[in-house]
Amino acid sequence: MKQESEWEPKLLGFLCRWCSYAGADLAGTSRKKYPANIRIIKVPCSGRVDPLFILKALRLGFDGVLVSGCYPGDCHYQTGNYRARRRMAITKKFLEYVGVDPQRIQASWVSASEGGKFTEVVTEVTKGLKEIGPNKLFADER
Amino acid sequence: MANKKINKKNIAKLLGDWSKEFELFIPSKDEGIAKFAKWDGKDTSFLDWHRNTIVPPKAIFFPPVEEMFSFQKDKQSYHIELPSSDGQKQLIFGIRPYDANALTILDKTFKDTYEDPYYLPKRKNTVLVGLGCTKPYDSCFCTSLGGSPTDSANVDLMLTDIGDEFLVEGVTDKGRELMSMSSELEEATEADETRAKETKEATYQKVTRQLDTKDIEEKLLSSFEIQDLWEEIAAKCISCGICTLLCPTCYCFDINDELIKDRGTRFRSWDSCSFPVYTKMPMENPRIEKWRRVRNKVCHKYEFYPMNFDVIACTGCGRCVRQCPVNWDITQTLEKMQAKVQSG
Amino acid sequence: MKDRETEQRLRREAKALLEQGKVDYIIGFETGSLKFTTTPLITKDKDSVDRLIINPFIVNNLSEYLTELKGRVGIVAKGCDNRSIVSLIQDNQVKREDVVILGVPCPGIIDLSKVEGLVGKDRDELDDVTRDGDKVVVTVDGEKKEFPASEVLFDNCLGCEFPTPQEYNILLDESSSLVADKTASRKGIETLEGMPQEQRWDFWEKEFSRCIRCYACRSICPACFCERCFVEESEPQWIAPVPRWQDNLIFQVIRNIHVAGRCTDCGECERACPVNIPLRSLTKEMYDLVDDLYHFKAGMDKEAAPLMTHYETTDPEDFIK
């Protein structure tokens, strides 16, 4: 059993392959440091992210989920990120109402040239998750 | 042993005496709806509100979800662990005659060709204290299925409302043993017996919904191919699982494994033949059209079950009629079917 | 009696539609088998239409049946049902020319559970329940008791914005006035909003612990028209088809996201739930949420694109980093 002080949040990132994933790549090749707390899943578009993925991640014990895509207007498929924006908005707000800390559900726009921004976003989100502590939402025994 | 009686005011004391030996279940609304729940040591409010529970007492023996076993992958094979059973003796207080009858019907399935190791031990460890009904719902039709609202046939001990008191009848040895476990019971007088008899007769008359079950198996058999009839009957059904899941004699279950890394659990949980995805796991549901599913539900209760076990798998509790969100009514269905068969 | 006249007109219109071959089916309400209860009548038979009724208990949202019936259908629709029909048209589930909408202006439906609570008797023990303008008269043991309608109408009716159908072929009566009480309509939600976040989650944990997965909420919902639901997907298995609170809660959260912009707050999910889970405290919140964020109300315009397939470049994104 790990001590509470050793606990590190697990963050699941869904990154669009055209912008944010390339941004994460750039952060790496530029030797920028960002928290190792994020596990990345490459998706074709932020519009591919079903709210169900977010719930499933929380159910499996991830402490937070980050969905990141291209800036509005930059979507490789024209409109995928606009659709993602609506989905993320209602998912985040609705889950907040149900009782999930909104810090656990995050979204960002990161372009392929923004290695720095990617680093900042992951750092900030991880910091927020550390503050709110482990996800015990679905634990069978709380 | 002669019949006894107990003052309603002393019910908590009686339950208290029994709870030393048994885990006690009573009709409770603590969890948001009327169902049988563990007694908290004082609540007897059901004496005022209890007509019937929404969730039938079958849930105590055959819960909505139940762990069958857990398993862990060792190097070569799987290590299987059965859920621990404490063999705790249970007592259900306040079960209605038609729900007790339903358990007798369910027993046949669970000990037919295979003795169910989950249901039967719990059933064996449980005594049933029946509480005769005095206020049947307008959805009740137990008298059409050979029962009565105050029938003691399927319980161990039977209580009948005689005003400020209940008449207490020992039906089985287990029940008579219960009577000797409490000093709260008094000897019943002849006047008490008379009042109990009157209550029983009066309540019987209060069940107004009637269903003619004569030759119903044969009639269903001849209606089987009349597609128009079944389509009409099924038209308003929405294929939810309320009538089957809350039926005290329905027993279909689904089995699922849940794996997390190398550890897993096998569960069984209530299933319903109303669902379009029922029995999808082997290949396909043979009853894709709604009318076939509705026909199966009716025939299973009134035709197939009697063929196998010589008893109709319905006790007239009326839950399916009362809880249905579209007021699909099995008694109307059977009437319509009989009228159609008779008119040729 | 106003309902009697509406009823007579409905029967005439329905009969004419069937006789003239303008529709294959009529969907309406007839008297149910339990006291005060009404039940859907789905018929091809022109004589059966004499069984059609209009009264303060016609609670079902009949648009639920539109997606399964083949052919043209004449359908009785109250305000909320009417919006569900329009929503189905928006989603290409129903063609406008295949439905003849018999609109019924709705003054709100009586919630018998509320009546039971007020008089302390079950519905089958009541002699009579009648609506008289903004009052409801309940007769128990020969004695008449009067209640303001706002105390006995369904919560969703108290929050109704469009009691009179907007999209119809025949409107059976003049628009009706509504007894509205927006605060009462949102009571459940406000109680929840007043709780700390963890307490809200605990609330739902407790409520969903008694779900039995009968799926009546899904089956009765006209907006839940998928032929295959994610709940039953097994590859991958998103949630276990087992009634545990965690899986029940995820099911309901996702169901609400799926019906966002389609839910007309008809309240059928909550009414159908046999174990009294306050589902409308979820659906109404989503209903208000999409209105706040996107000024979108379900089923108002049959030409409009469904909410979640559409976007505006100006949609709010203050939550995005």
Side-chain angles (χ1 to χ4, degrees), chain B residues 33 54-55 242 246 323, chain C residues 212 214 216-217 269-277:
Chain B
I33 43 151
I54 287 173
V55 179
I242 292 180
L246 293 182
Q323 299 298 334
Chain C
I212 55 167
C214 67
C217 48
C269 48
E270 179 167 305
R271 184 188 67 86
C273 180
V275 294
N276 296 353
I277 300 172

Side-chain angles (χ1 to χ4, degrees), chain A residues 14-18 41-46 48-49 53 68:
Chain A
F14 290 102
L15 308 188
C16 132
R17 66 169 290 190
W18 302 99
I41 294 179
K42 183 161 76 171
V43 286
C45 175
S46 53
R48 172 65 184 93
V49 181
F53 301 175
S68 191

